[in-house]
Amino acid sequence: MADASPQARAATLLGHPKLWLVPTVLTGLLALLLALLYMGGIVNPQGALHHLPIALVNSDTGKPPPGQKQNAGAQIAAAITSGTSNEKAEWRTLTRAQAQDQLDSGKVYGALVVPPDFTASLTALTTANATTRPTMTVLTNPGKGSLGSSLASQITTAAAHQASQTIGKQLTAAAGGQANSTTKLLLADPVNVVTQVGHPIGSHSGLGLSAFYYTLLLVLAGFMGGNIITNAVDTALGYTDSEIGPWHTRRPTVPISRTQTLLLNMVLTAGITVVSVSLIMVATISILGMDATHIPLLWVYSYCAALAVGLGVQAINAAFGGVGQLVSMFVFIVLGLPSSGATVPLQAVPGFYRFLSHFEPMRQLSDGVRAILYFDARGDAGLTRSWIMIAIGATLALLFGFAMTRYYDHRGHKRLTPQPA
C-alpha cells in the first residue's frame, strides 16, 4: 500500500527557526575559529619574531689595532651579541666547522661569518695599500623554509651593515684629515656584505616548502583515509545508509560491539595506508620529480606517520561518534597547520602556537620529513624526535580508542538500530 502522507515542502520548512539555528551557529563559529587560528599564526611574523637561531662565526686572526684590546672581528661579535637584534635573534657563537654542522642539521636558520683577514683588510683601508674592501659573509639555510631563511638573512645583513658603519666611524676618526674624499667615502661603509647559500637543497624542493606540502599530504591521507574507512565500515555493517545520487540502500545490520568495530577500522587503516602512501610517493617523486633521497626510509617514515594519524582519527571517531570528524579535523589540521613551524618559523609565531607545537602532530611529522628530504636523514635534525612522537601518538590512539569503546560496551551502549520498514 502506497504511503499517502503529504510530503514536506522546502518553502514551509525554511520558516522554522530551529532549522536555521544549529547550522548557522556551527558554521559561523567554525569560520570565526578558522580565521583566528590560521591568520593569527602568519599575519605578523616580524612582530612575533623571538630568538631565531643564527650562527655567528668570528674567524678573525688579526692583531688588535693600536690602542685597542680586541681585533675588529671580536669587536663586531661583541657588538652583535649585545645589540638590540638579540631580541629577535639567538646568536650562537661558533667556529666555522660548528656553524656548518648546525646549518647541515637544520639547527640554525643562517650564519654570519667574519673572515680570518678581516682586521688586516680594515687596517689597510687607511693606507695607500688598500686594494679591496673587507668582506663579511651571510650564509642562508633554505632547508629551513624560504621565510625562515629570509628572516635570518635580513637580521644578519642588517647586523653586518650596522657593524660596518660603526667600524667606519672609527676608521674615519683614525684617518683624520689625511684621507681624501674618495677614501672618506670608502671608510664610511668599509665592509662588503655578500650572501651565499650555507646549506644547498635541490632545485625541485619548492624553495624549502616541499617538506611542508609532503607532510600535509601524509596528514590528509591519514585524516581522510580514516574517515572514509569509518564511513565505509558503518555502511557495510548496516549502521549507515548508502546514498549515491538517486540510489539508496541499507545493508542488514551486523551485530558487533564497538570494540570489535574499532579493531576492524584500525586493521583496515593499517592495510589501506600502504596503498595511499605508496601512491603519494609515486606522484610526488616519480611523476612530479620532487627532490628526495633515502627513498626506503622515506617510505617507512611516511607509512608510520600517516598510520599514526589514521589511528588517531579512528580513536576520535569511536569516542565522539558523529562529531568525531569535526574533532579530528581540529586536532590534526586546524590547530596543526599554524603550529607546524614548516612555513613560518616557530620563533616568528605567537606563544600560543609555540605551545601547541610541543604536541600537535603536524609539527612532529614535518620535522622528520624535513630531516629526511633536506638534512641527510640526520637524527639530530629532528628525525629522532619525530620517530619518538609518532610512537607516542600511535600508542595514545590505541589506548584512548579501545578504552572508550570498552567503556561504552561495558555500559551497554550498543549501536544496533532497527531496520526501517
Side-chain angles (χ1 to χ4, degrees):
M1 177 174 155
D3 186 1
S5 61
Q7 293 187 351
R9 299 184 62 84
T12 303
L13 295 175
L14 288 173
H16 292 268
K18 291 183 178 180
L19 186 65
W20 290 82
L21 181 61
V22 173
T24 300
V25 172
L26 290 180
T27 303
L29 182 61
L30 182 61
L32 177 63
L33 289 175
L34 287 175
L36 290 175
L37 291 170
Y38 281 161
M39 296 304 294
I42 57 94
V43 71
N44 187 21
Q46 287 280 9
L49 189 59
H50 183 71
H51 289 178
L52 190 71
I54 302 175
L56 177 59
V57 179
N58 175 27
S59 301
D60 190 0
T61 57
K63 296 181 179 180
Q68 299 185 28
K69 298 181 179 179
Q70 296 177 313
N71 61 24
Q75 294 179 40
I76 289 176
I80 289 176
T81 54
S82 62
T84 56
S85 63
N86 218 26
E87 299 175 1
K88 295 183 177 295
E90 177 192 311
W91 292 102
R92 299 180 179 180
T93 304
L94 305 170
T95 66
R96 184 65 181 86
Q98 290 171 336
Q100 189 61 54
D101 182 70
Q102 295 210 5
L103 286 167
D104 294 340
S105 61
K107 294 179 180 178
V108 294
Y109 285 80
L112 179 61
V113 180
V114 180
D117 61 346
F118 189 70
T119 297
S121 299
L122 279 175
T123 305
L125 290 179
T126 60
T127 69
N129 299 325
T131 55
T132 58
R133 297 170 65 191
T135 299
M136 283 195 288
T137 304
V138 171
L139 299 177
T140 63
N141 195 353
K144 296 294 287 181
S146 55
L147 179 58
S149 182
S150 175
L151 289 171
S153 179
Q154 293 175 25
I155 293 173
T156 50
T157 301
H161 283 302
Q162 179 63 41
S164 175
Q165 293 172 6
T166 301
I167 291 173
K169 293 178 182 179
Q170 297 175 0
L171 294 176
T172 301
Q178 300 178 0
N180 55 38
S181 59
T182 303
T183 303
K184 288 181 179 180
L185 182 62
L186 177 62
L187 295 180
D189 189 10
V191 180
N192 181 35
V193 180
V194 298
T195 301
Q196 298 177 0
V197 177
H199 177 77
I201 60 176
S203 59
H204 289 72
S205 298
L207 300 177
L209 289 176
S210 62
F212 164 70
Y213 284 102
Y214 187 87
T215 303
L216 182 59
L217 288 173
L218 298 180
V219 173
L220 289 176
F223 172 75
M224 294 189 301
N227 286 317
I228 290 172
I229 291 170
T230 297
N231 293 333
V233 168
D234 283 350
T235 300
L237 299 181
Y239 292 93
T240 303
D241 291 3
S242 174
E243 186 174 0
I244 303 176
W247 297 282
H248 174 267
T249 59
R250 184 171 187 181
R251 296 178 180 273
T253 303
V254 177
I256 186 173
S257 68
R258 292 175 180 268
T259 300
Q260 289 299 310
T261 302
L262 177 59
L263 178 61
L264 178 61
N265 285 338
M266 287 190 168
V267 172
L268 286 172
T269 299
I272 294 173
T273 301
V274 173
V275 178
S276 58
V277 164
S278 299
L279 291 176
I280 286 174
M281 292 190 66
V282 168
T284 56
I285 299 173
S286 300
I287 298 177
L288 298 177
M290 181 185 77
D291 288 321
T293 57
H294 306 283
I295 301 299
L297 173 62
L298 181 62
W299 187 91
V300 173
Y301 179 87
S302 300
Y303 173 76
C304 294
L307 178 60
V309 174
L311 295 179
V313 169
Q314 297 293 1
I316 291 173
N317 288 344
F320 293 94
V323 298
Q325 295 184 12
L326 187 62
V327 174
S328 60
M329 184 184 74
F330 267 85
V331 171
F332 293 104
I333 297 177
V334 174
L335 296 176
L337 282 172
S339 62
S340 67
T343 52
V344 179
L346 292 175
Q347 294 82 3
V349 297
F352 171 68
Y353 299 96
R354 289 197 293 272
F355 167 74
L356 290 178
S357 70
H358 292 295
F359 51 84
E360 264 299 317
M362 193 171 291
R363 186 273 171 104
Q364 325 308 326
L365 302 185
S366 66
D367 282 355
V369 171
R370 180 185 283 132
I372 295 173
L373 293 182
Y374 303 151
F375 301 115
D376 197 30
R378 291 179 53 162
D380 60 349
L383 184 56
T384 299
R385 183 179 186 276
S386 292
W387 278 121
I388 294 173
M389 296 304 290
I390 286 174
I392 292 175
T395 302
L396 289 177
L398 292 171
L399 292 175
F400 174 69
F402 285 110
M404 294 301 298
T405 55
R406 286 178 65 85
Y407 170 76
Y408 292 152
D409 289 337
H410 179 71
R411 295 296 299 268
H413 298 303
K414 298 181 180 180
R415 302 186 67 204
L416 287 173
T417 56
Q419 291 277 23

